[in-house]
PDB file of all heavy atoms in Angstrom:
ATOM      1  N   HIS G  74      75.458  75.602  18.944  1.00 91.00           N
ATOM      2  CA  HIS G  74      74.501  76.470  19.621  1.00 91.00           C
ATOM      3  C   HIS G  74      73.215  76.650  18.828  1.00 91.00           C
ATOM      4  O   HIS G  74      72.240  77.172  19.346  1.00 91.00           O
ATOM      5  CB  HIS G  74      75.137  77.823  19.949  1.00 91.00           C
ATOM      6  CG  HIS G  74      75.390  78.691  18.757  1.00 91.00           C
ATOM      7  ND1 HIS G  74      76.515  78.570  17.975  1.00 91.00           N
ATOM      8  CD2 HIS G  74      74.671  79.693  18.220  1.00 91.00           C
ATOM      9  CE1 HIS G  74      76.469  79.466  17.017  1.00 91.00           C
ATOM     10  NE2 HIS G  74      75.366  80.162  17.123  1.00 91.00           N
ATOM     11  N   LEU G  78      69.914  71.932  21.702  1.00 89.00           N
ATOM     12  CA  LEU G  78      69.923  70.704  22.460  1.00 89.00           C
ATOM     13  C   LEU G  78      70.429  70.966  23.867  1.00 89.00           C
ATOM     14  O   LEU G  78      70.977  72.017  24.166  1.00 89.00           O
ATOM     15  CB  LEU G  78      70.795  69.659  21.763  1.00 89.00           C
ATOM     16  CG  LEU G  78      72.130  70.120  21.194  1.00 89.00           C
ATOM     17  CD1 LEU G  78      73.190  70.138  22.257  1.00 89.00           C
ATOM     18  CD2 LEU G  78      72.551  69.170  20.087  1.00 89.00           C
ATOM     19  N   ARG G  86      81.387  69.377  33.638  1.00 92.00           N
ATOM     20  CA  ARG G  86      81.713  70.572  32.841  1.00 92.00           C
ATOM     21  C   ARG G  86      80.972  71.819  33.296  1.00 92.00           C
ATOM     22  O   ARG G  86      80.422  72.562  32.466  1.00 92.00           O
ATOM     23  CB  ARG G  86      81.408  70.367  31.362  1.00 92.00           C
ATOM     24  CG  ARG G  86      82.208  69.256  30.738  1.00 92.00           C
ATOM     25  CD  ARG G  86      82.274  69.443  29.226  1.00 92.00           C
ATOM     26  NE  ARG G  86      82.773  68.240  28.585  1.00 92.00           N
ATOM     27  CZ  ARG G  86      82.927  68.096  27.279  1.00 92.00           C
ATOM     28  NH1 ARG G  86      82.611  69.086  26.479  1.00 92.00           N
ATOM     29  NH2 ARG G  86      83.398  66.997  26.760  1.00 92.00           N
ATOM     30  N   LEU G  87      80.934  72.057  34.581  1.00 95.00           N
ATOM     31  CA  LEU G  87      80.326  73.304  35.050  1.00 95.00           C
ATOM     32  C   LEU G  87      81.285  74.457  34.812  1.00 95.00           C
ATOM     33  O   LEU G  87      82.496  74.272  34.736  1.00 95.00           O
ATOM     34  CB  LEU G  87      80.010  73.183  36.544  1.00 95.00           C
ATOM     35  CG  LEU G  87      79.047  72.045  36.892  1.00 95.00           C
ATOM     36  CD1 LEU G  87      78.790  72.027  38.383  1.00 95.00           C
ATOM     37  CD2 LEU G  87      77.736  72.202  36.136  1.00 95.00           C
ATOM     38  N   PHE G  88      80.747  75.645  34.708  1.00 94.00           N
ATOM     39  CA  PHE G  88      81.595  76.818  34.511  1.00 94.00           C
ATOM     40  C   PHE G  88      82.194  77.224  35.859  1.00 94.00           C
ATOM     41  O   PHE G  88      81.459  77.586  36.780  1.00 94.00           O
ATOM     42  CB  PHE G  88      80.787  77.972  33.934  1.00 94.00           C
ATOM     43  CG  PHE G  88      80.122  77.619  32.629  1.00 94.00           C
ATOM     44  CD1 PHE G  88      78.761  77.746  32.471  1.00 94.00           C
ATOM     45  CD2 PHE G  88      80.871  77.141  31.572  1.00 94.00           C
ATOM     46  CE1 PHE G  88      78.144  77.402  31.285  1.00 94.00           C
ATOM     47  CE2 PHE G  88      80.264  76.789  30.372  1.00 94.00           C
ATOM     48  CZ  PHE G  88      78.901  76.925  30.224  1.00 94.00           C
ATOM     49  N   PRO G  89      83.508  77.172  35.981  1.00 92.00           N
ATOM     50  CA  PRO G  89      84.108  77.382  37.301  1.00 92.00           C
ATOM     51  C   PRO G  89      83.972  78.823  37.798  1.00 92.00           C
ATOM     52  O   PRO G  89      84.077  79.065  38.996  1.00 92.00           O
ATOM     53  CB  PRO G  89      85.585  77.025  37.077  1.00 92.00           C
ATOM     54  CG  PRO G  89      85.816  77.190  35.619  1.00 92.00           C
ATOM     55  CD  PRO G  89      84.505  76.868  34.941  1.00 92.00           C
ATOM     56  N   HIS G  90      83.766  79.746  36.889  1.00 91.00           N
ATOM     57  CA  HIS G  90      83.743  81.148  37.316  1.00 91.00           C
ATOM     58  C   HIS G  90      82.333  81.614  37.659  1.00 91.00           C
ATOM     59  O   HIS G  90      82.136  82.750  38.046  1.00 91.00           O
ATOM     60  CB  HIS G  90      84.340  82.038  36.232  1.00 91.00           C
ATOM     61  CG  HIS G  90      83.604  81.930  34.910  1.00 91.00           C
ATOM     62  ND1 HIS G  90      83.606  80.781  34.156  1.00 91.00           N
ATOM     63  CD2 HIS G  90      82.856  82.816  34.238  1.00 91.00           C
ATOM     64  CE1 HIS G  90      82.895  80.971  33.078  1.00 91.00           C
ATOM     65  NE2 HIS G  90      82.420  82.200  33.087  1.00 91.00           N
ATOM     66  N   TYR G  99      72.464  79.628  32.922  1.00 93.00           N
ATOM     67  CA  TYR G  99      73.244  79.990  31.735  1.00 93.00           C
ATOM     68  C   TYR G  99      72.477  79.751  30.439  1.00 93.00           C
ATOM     69  O   TYR G  99      72.361  80.625  29.586  1.00 93.00           O
ATOM     70  CB  TYR G  99      74.557  79.216  31.705  1.00 93.00           C
ATOM     71  CG  TYR G  99      75.492  79.685  30.620  1.00 93.00           C
ATOM     72  CD1 TYR G  99      76.458  80.645  30.891  1.00 93.00           C
ATOM     73  CD2 TYR G  99      75.421  79.190  29.318  1.00 93.00           C
ATOM     74  CE1 TYR G  99      77.317  81.102  29.912  1.00 93.00           C
ATOM     75  CE2 TYR G  99      76.271  79.640  28.328  1.00 93.00           C
ATOM     76  CZ  TYR G  99      77.212  80.599  28.626  1.00 93.00           C
ATOM     77  OH  TYR G  99      78.054  81.055  27.651  1.00 93.00           O
ATOM     78  N   PHE G 103      69.456  81.813  26.731  1.00 84.00           N
ATOM     79  CA  PHE G 103      69.340  81.653  25.282  1.00 84.00           C
ATOM     80  C   PHE G 103      68.060  80.924  24.888  1.00 84.00           C
ATOM     81  O   PHE G 103      67.753  80.799  23.720  1.00 84.00           O
ATOM     82  CB  PHE G 103      70.534  80.865  24.738  1.00 84.00           C
ATOM     83  CG  PHE G 103      71.847  81.471  25.123  1.00 84.00           C
ATOM     84  CD1 PHE G 103      72.592  80.940  26.156  1.00 84.00           C
ATOM     85  CD2 PHE G 103      72.323  82.594  24.480  1.00 84.00           C
ATOM     86  CE1 PHE G 103      73.799  81.502  26.524  1.00 84.00           C
ATOM     87  CE2 PHE G 103      73.527  83.166  24.837  1.00 84.00           C
ATOM     88  CZ  PHE G 103      74.268  82.621  25.861  1.00 84.00           C
ATOM     89  N   ARG G 127      80.413  78.073  44.312  1.00 91.00           N
ATOM     90  CA  ARG G 127      81.074  77.836  43.024  1.00 91.00           C
ATOM     91  C   ARG G 127      81.245  76.332  42.845  1.00 91.00           C
ATOM     92  O   ARG G 127      81.346  75.604  43.829  1.00 91.00           O
ATOM     93  CB  ARG G 127      82.461  78.481  43.003  1.00 91.00           C
ATOM     94  CG  ARG G 127      82.419  79.928  43.374  1.00 91.00           C
ATOM     95  CD  ARG G 127      82.958  80.812  42.277  1.00 91.00           C
ATOM     96  NE  ARG G 127      82.569  82.168  42.604  1.00 91.00           N
ATOM     97  CZ  ARG G 127      81.979  83.000  41.772  1.00 91.00           C
ATOM     98  NH1 ARG G 127      81.744  82.628  40.532  1.00 91.00           N
ATOM     99  NH2 ARG G 127      81.634  84.202  42.147  1.00 91.00           N
TER     100      ARG G 127
ATOM    101  N   LYS Y 122      86.534  72.260  26.474  1.00 93.00           N
ATOM    102  CA  LYS Y 122      85.329  71.521  26.852  1.00 93.00           C
ATOM    103  C   LYS Y 122      84.302  72.421  27.510  1.00 93.00           C
ATOM    104  O   LYS Y 122      83.101  72.183  27.398  1.00 93.00           O
ATOM    105  CB  LYS Y 122      85.696  70.392  27.804  1.00 93.00           C
ATOM    106  CG  LYS Y 122      86.463  69.304  27.111  1.00 93.00           C
ATOM    107  CD  LYS Y 122      86.605  68.106  28.001  1.00 93.00           C
ATOM    108  CE  LYS Y 122      87.170  66.958  27.166  1.00 93.00           C
ATOM    109  NZ  LYS Y 122      87.504  65.825  28.014  1.00 93.00           N
ATOM    110  N   LEU Y 123      84.780  73.437  28.214  1.00 94.00           N
ATOM    111  CA  LEU Y 123      83.838  74.367  28.837  1.00 94.00           C
ATOM    112  C   LEU Y 123      83.169  75.211  27.766  1.00 94.00           C
ATOM    113  O   LEU Y 123      81.979  75.510  27.837  1.00 94.00           O
ATOM    114  CB  LEU Y 123      84.562  75.267  29.838  1.00 94.00           C
ATOM    115  CG  LEU Y 123      85.072  74.548  31.088  1.00 94.00           C
ATOM    116  CD1 LEU Y 123      85.847  75.502  31.967  1.00 94.00           C
ATOM    117  CD2 LEU Y 123      83.897  73.956  31.855  1.00 94.00           C
ATOM    118  N   GLN Y 125      82.682  74.277  24.731  1.00 94.00           N
ATOM    119  CA  GLN Y 125      81.728  73.390  24.075  1.00 94.00           C
ATOM    120  C   GLN Y 125      80.440  73.307  24.876  1.00 94.00           C
ATOM    121  O   GLN Y 125      79.335  73.360  24.314  1.00 94.00           O
ATOM    122  CB  GLN Y 125      82.322  71.988  23.951  1.00 94.00           C
ATOM    123  CG  GLN Y 125      83.431  71.868  22.933  1.00 94.00           C
ATOM    124  CD  GLN Y 125      83.930  70.442  22.840  1.00 94.00           C
ATOM    125  OE1 GLN Y 125      83.582  69.608  23.664  1.00 94.00           O
ATOM    126  NE2 GLN Y 125      84.744  70.168  21.848  1.00 94.00           N
ATOM    127  N   ALA Y 128      78.391  76.210  24.247  1.00 94.00           N
ATOM    128  CA  ALA Y 128      77.778  76.171  22.920  1.00 94.00           C
ATOM    129  C   ALA Y 128      76.537  75.268  22.922  1.00 94.00           C
ATOM    130  O   ALA Y 128      75.502  75.625  22.354  1.00 94.00           O
ATOM    131  CB  ALA Y 128      78.792  75.678  21.881  1.00 94.00           C
ATOM    132  N   THR Y 129      76.634  74.122  23.594  1.00 93.00           N
ATOM    133  CA  THR Y 129      75.458  73.239  23.591  1.00 93.00           C
ATOM    134  C   THR Y 129      74.300  73.884  24.336  1.00 93.00           C
ATOM    135  O   THR Y 129      73.157  73.517  24.143  1.00 93.00           O
ATOM    136  CB  THR Y 129      75.739  71.879  24.261  1.00 93.00           C
ATOM    137  OG1 THR Y 129      76.031  72.095  25.641  1.00 93.00           O
ATOM    138  CG2 THR Y 129      76.886  71.157  23.606  1.00 93.00           C
ATOM    139  N   ALA Y 132      74.834  79.166  23.414  1.00 92.00           N
ATOM    140  CA  ALA Y 132      75.623  80.379  23.267  1.00 92.00           C
ATOM    141  C   ALA Y 132      76.361  80.377  21.932  1.00 92.00           C
ATOM    142  O   ALA Y 132      77.041  79.410  21.599  1.00 92.00           O
ATOM    143  CB  ALA Y 132      76.618  80.491  24.419  1.00 92.00           C
ATOM    144  N   THR Y 140      81.170  85.151  27.722  1.00 94.00           N
ATOM    145  CA  THR Y 140      80.707  84.667  29.032  1.00 94.00           C
ATOM    146  C   THR Y 140      81.563  83.547  29.601  1.00 94.00           C
ATOM    147  O   THR Y 140      81.483  83.269  30.785  1.00 94.00           O
ATOM    148  CB  THR Y 140      79.253  84.151  28.938  1.00 94.00           C
ATOM    149  OG1 THR Y 140      79.196  83.102  27.972  1.00 94.00           O
ATOM    150  CG2 THR Y 140      78.308  85.260  28.541  1.00 94.00           C
ATOM    151  N   PRO Y 144      85.996  85.628  30.857  1.00 91.00           N
ATOM    152  CA  PRO Y 144      86.186  85.573  32.312  1.00 91.00           C
ATOM    153  C   PRO Y 144      87.319  84.637  32.725  1.00 91.00           C
ATOM    154  O   PRO Y 144      88.048  84.936  33.666  1.00 91.00           O
ATOM    155  CB  PRO Y 144      84.853  85.038  32.836  1.00 91.00           C
ATOM    156  CG  PRO Y 144      83.873  85.263  31.755  1.00 91.00           C
ATOM    157  CD  PRO Y 144      84.620  85.285  30.471  1.00 91.00           C
ATOM    158  N   ARG Y 227      87.492  83.823  42.501  1.00 64.00           N
ATOM    159  CA  ARG Y 227      86.208  83.555  41.874  1.00 64.00           C
ATOM    160  C   ARG Y 227      86.240  82.285  41.037  1.00 64.00           C
ATOM    161  O   ARG Y 227      85.256  81.577  40.935  1.00 64.00           O
ATOM    162  CB  ARG Y 227      85.811  84.721  40.966  1.00 64.00           C
ATOM    163  CG  ARG Y 227      85.024  85.782  41.693  1.00 64.00           C
ATOM    164  CD  ARG Y 227      84.451  86.771  40.714  1.00 64.00           C
ATOM    165  NE  ARG Y 227      84.332  86.231  39.371  1.00 64.00           N
ATOM    166  CZ  ARG Y 227      84.357  86.945  38.272  1.00 64.00           C
ATOM    167  NH1 ARG Y 227      84.498  88.247  38.358  1.00 64.00           N
ATOM    168  NH2 ARG Y 227      84.238  86.387  37.093  1.00 64.00           N
ATOM    169  N   VAL Y 228      87.379  82.038  40.429  1.00 60.00           N
ATOM    170  CA  VAL Y 228      87.412  80.957  39.455  1.00 60.00           C
ATOM    171  C   VAL Y 228      87.618  79.575  40.073  1.00 60.00           C
ATOM    172  O   VAL Y 228      87.157  78.580  39.555  1.00 60.00           O
ATOM    173  CB  VAL Y 228      88.474  81.244  38.379  1.00 60.00           C
ATOM    174  CG1 VAL Y 228      88.740  80.028  37.524  1.00 60.00           C
ATOM    175  CG2 VAL Y 228      88.011  82.409  37.527  1.00 60.00           C
TER     176      VAL Y 228
END
Side-chain angles (χ1 to χ4, degrees):
Chain G
H74 71 276
L78 43 83
R86 298 202 193 179
L87 300 181
F88 302 124
H90 59 293
Y99 188 93
F103 305 101
R127 307 239 166 230
Chain Y
K122 290 190 170 172
L123 291 176
Q125 288 182 349
T129 64
T140 59
R227 271 190 22 207
V228 168

